[in-house]
Amino acid sequence: MVVLLNKAKNVLLDVLFPPLCLNCRENLDDRNNLICQNCLGLIQFNNTLFCPVCRARLAENKKICHFDSQYLLAAAGNYDDTVLQNLIHYFKYRSFQNLAPILGEILVKYLNLLNLKSLNPKSFIIIPVPLHSKRQRERGFNQAKLLAEIIAKKLNLETSEALERIKPTKPQVKLKDTEERRKNVADCFTIKNPELIRDKNIILVDDVFTSGATMDEAVKIIKKNGAKRIITLVLAKA
């Protein structure tokens, strides 16, 4: 009886509120998909790592410039990709938490496109960029943590929440000046237990990379506590 009632409810929902693709607004066959296959296929994937300072492509996954940078940037796509931008917006600002599996798969696909054999990806642990506890209560979830968990499960890697945000900060998107952004996140992170990251290679996960201020600050404290190689992984870079 319960199964029949649920089916009837779903049929009624589909009639009254037909599921629409979040990007093109066309009808979907399954309301659990959220985006149609046509739109998903429009996303343009990158196939290299990048310099986090000048955004130069690193075709051989090693530095060719800005050798003093402490990490490499891995960005699945670019923020001017309207499909990817829309998905990130719904995920981050409109609480579409169930987009996490789709976006997680995008990151996994991108990682599979990279030739990371020389970096030995199995030697890495995954750390999500944390939200401050107040911000996480407001949003209801940490988008970076959801993505990190999906990647770790798909690639059979260990995750750690060693990184902690101890200072509430303004949303970076509201600060247009790079210097303002750097001041906003200065000293906002700490490491709860340095033993968790000492001598480890780290994949640091977040949703987007714009000015790089947040990642720079997170990498600084991670490096200070003894981590070795760091790759920052995001869905899109500006």
Side-chain angles (χ1 to χ4, degrees), residues 39 59 62 97-98 106 119 205 226 235:
C39 287
K62 59 185 179 182
Q97 189 172 345
N98 49 348
I106 287 172
L119 299 179
V205 177
L235 288 161

Side-chain angles (χ1 to χ4, degrees), residues 143-209:
Q143 70 278 4
K145 181 180 177 183
L146 293 181
L147 295 174
E149 289 172 344
I150 291 167
I151 298 162
K153 184 176 181 180
K154 290 285 185 179
L155 300 181
N156 195 27
L157 296 176
E158 176 189 347
T159 60
S160 171
E161 293 186 61
L163 186 65
E164 181 180 12
R165 192 183 291 246
I166 56 174
K167 172 182 155 185
T169 55
K170 298 176 183 176
Q172 292 285 77
V173 70
K174 295 183 178 180
L175 305 174
K176 302 303 181 185
D177 180 78
T178 300
E179 188 57 32
E180 277 188 273
R181 291 186 171 201
R182 295 197 181 281
K183 289 180 180 178
N184 184 47
V185 296
D187 302 318
C188 72
F189 295 113
T190 191
I191 298 295
K192 291 183 282 190
N193 184 354
E195 290 298 322
L196 295 175
I197 64 168
R198 187 170 294 131
D199 296 324
K200 299 288 181 66
N201 294 323
I202 308 295
I203 295 177
L204 186 62
V205 177
D206 206 357
D207 49 8
V208 297
F209 186 97

Side-chain angles (χ1 to χ4, degrees), residues 62-115:
K62 59 185 179 182
K63 294 178 184 177
I64 58 173
C65 56
H66 297 95
F67 293 98
D68 57 342
S69 174
Q70 294 186 304
Y71 63 101
L72 300 175
L73 170 62
N78 300 312
Y79 202 61
D80 59 3
D81 184 317
T82 54
V83 179
L84 192 53
Q85 186 181 124
N86 282 339
L87 291 180
I88 293 170
H89 178 81
Y90 275 102
F91 183 47
K92 187 172 183 178
Y93 299 114
R94 299 186 64 176
S95 298
F96 275 66
Q97 189 172 345
N98 49 348
L99 273 170
I102 296 171
L103 295 174
E105 285 289 349
I106 287 172
L107 288 173
V108 171
K109 180 178 178 180
Y110 165 61
L111 287 175
N112 287 332
L113 288 172
L114 298 176
N115 181 17

